[in-house]
Amino acid sequence: MRNNRAYREPITGPVGYLTDGTVMRYKARGFVVWAARRSHIRHPVDFPPMPSDKPRRSLADDERWRLAHRFLHDDSIDTVDRVVGLLVLLYGRPLTKISRLTTRHVVQAGQGVRLALGTHPVDVPPPLDRLLLALAEDREGPPGLGRAEQPWLLPGFFPGRPRGTAHLRSRLTAYGLPSRRGRNSALKDLAAQMPPAVLSQVLGVGIKAATQWADAVGSARTEYAADISRGRSSDSQPNKPCPSG
């Protein structure tokens, strides 16, 4: 009975963690709405909209290419960090998919290297090709575990599991690369260069997501062109005479 009485008492404590916490808080929305309708919560709770992969927050172009240049040419950076950073900045790969890449995704084609991200493998430029081959041939896995038993390009610290996304994210953050913004920047750039169907095939992005990226980039271009047009139109107008006193 004591537990039942406690359950019936309205929740009056702070609920800030529901509005300021991690992305997992969005999963609690249904329960919170139910509790509020039954007066179990006295304080109103406003859930912000679920974040999306639309290009709302991205790196500036110069910052993106500065980071890409560093990951490409700074040999003092660990090979894992260089590969992960470049896959984010150049190909817009999410960390969840990067962590699950296997050695079979790295394909040697003559003198070059291809990476199978979608249905059509992409040619990998140097020195990323060399870095990928290095990981495929000598992967860093947990001590005492045979390399041949590890299919992952980035073996984790537990047998049979890939490197965790939280671990990869923290390593990129140490170099000043927020993974989501870096990915958004790359996808914006790529969506401006190829149609959605090609983007989907090359990167393994869903056709719906690829179309949304293309639409978003197209809208931004349209707004920019309109701003330029309005600016030119106003510049071409003759100066109005000042009213005389």
Side-chain angles (χ1 to χ4, degrees), residues 120-204:
H120 291 70
V122 296
D123 293 326
V124 178
L128 180 56
D129 55 352
R130 172 177 55 83
L131 299 174
L132 285 168
L133 287 178
L135 287 182
E137 295 171 358
D138 187 19
R139 302 180 307 285
E140 179 187 351
L145 189 65
R147 305 278 187 180
E149 299 177 20
Q150 288 290 300
W152 309 109
L153 190 65
L154 305 173
F157 301 103
F158 295 96
R161 299 183 62 180
R163 196 74 59 97
T165 56
H167 177 75
L168 298 178
R169 184 178 297 108
S170 66
R171 293 179 70 138
L172 293 184
T173 302
Y175 295 101
L177 171 56
S179 58
R180 179 176 289 273
R181 292 189 184 186
R183 177 175 180 250
N184 286 350
S185 301
L187 288 175
K188 274 190 357 181
D189 187 16
L190 294 170
Q193 299 180 42
M194 59 186 75
V198 176
L199 186 68
S200 176
Q201 293 173 352
V202 170
L203 297 185

Side-chain angles (χ1 to χ4, degrees), residues 5-230:
R5 286 197 301 271
Y7 174 78
R8 292 191 184 99
E9 292 178 1
I11 301 173
T12 59
V15 290
Y17 68 94
L18 292 174
T19 54
D20 300 326
T22 67
V23 70
M24 294 301 294
R25 69 189 184 274
Y26 298 104
K27 296 183 181 295
R29 186 180 188 281
F31 169 75
V32 173
V33 171
W34 173 87
R37 288 176 178 173
R38 287 158 180 78
S39 300
H40 294 305
I41 296 179
R42 291 178 177 174
H43 297 285
V45 179
D46 183 22
F47 279 80
M50 173 71 83
S52 70
D53 285 337
K54 294 181 180 180
R56 296 178 179 176
R57 303 181 68 187
S58 59
L59 298 175
D61 287 342
D62 57 347
E63 178 66 8
R64 176 194 172 207
W65 290 116
R66 183 191 68 80
L67 288 167
H69 184 272
R70 184 182 180 190
F71 284 118
L72 281 169
H73 302 291
D74 190 345
D75 292 334
S76 67
I77 300 177
D78 186 85
T79 301
V80 170
D81 298 335
R82 294 176 70 182
V83 168
V84 174
L86 289 171
L87 291 180
V88 169
L89 291 167
L90 301 183
Y91 299 99
R93 300 301 288 172
L95 296 181
T96 52
K97 291 187 176 181
I98 293 176
S99 70
R100 302 193 68 82
L101 287 173
T102 69
T103 56
R104 293 187 177 183
H105 288 94
V106 181
V107 182
Q108 280 192 276
Q111 299 296 321
V113 174
R114 292 181 178 178
L115 187 60
L117 301 175
T119 56
H120 291 70
V122 296
D123 293 326
V124 178
L128 180 56
D129 55 352
R130 172 177 55 83
L131 299 174
L132 285 168
L133 287 178
L135 287 182
E137 295 171 358
D138 187 19
R139 302 180 307 285
E140 179 187 351
L145 189 65
R147 305 278 187 180
E149 299 177 20
Q150 288 290 300
W152 309 109
L153 190 65
L154 305 173
F157 301 103
F158 295 96
R161 299 183 62 180
R163 196 74 59 97
T165 56
H167 177 75
L168 298 178
R169 184 178 297 108
S170 66
R171 293 179 70 138
L172 293 184
T173 302
Y175 295 101
L177 171 56
S179 58
R180 179 176 289 273
R181 292 189 184 186
R183 177 175 180 250
N184 286 350
S185 301
L187 288 175
K188 274 190 357 181
D189 187 16
L190 294 170
Q193 299 180 42
M194 59 186 75
V198 176
L199 186 68
S200 176
Q201 293 173 352
V202 170
L203 297 185
V205 179
I207 187 63
K208 181 178 179 180
T211 302
Q212 289 175 340
W213 279 102
D215 290 344
V217 173
S219 298
R221 284 185 168 183
T222 301
E223 293 175 3
Y224 176 76
D227 290 341
I228 294 296
S229 178
R230 284 193 294 268

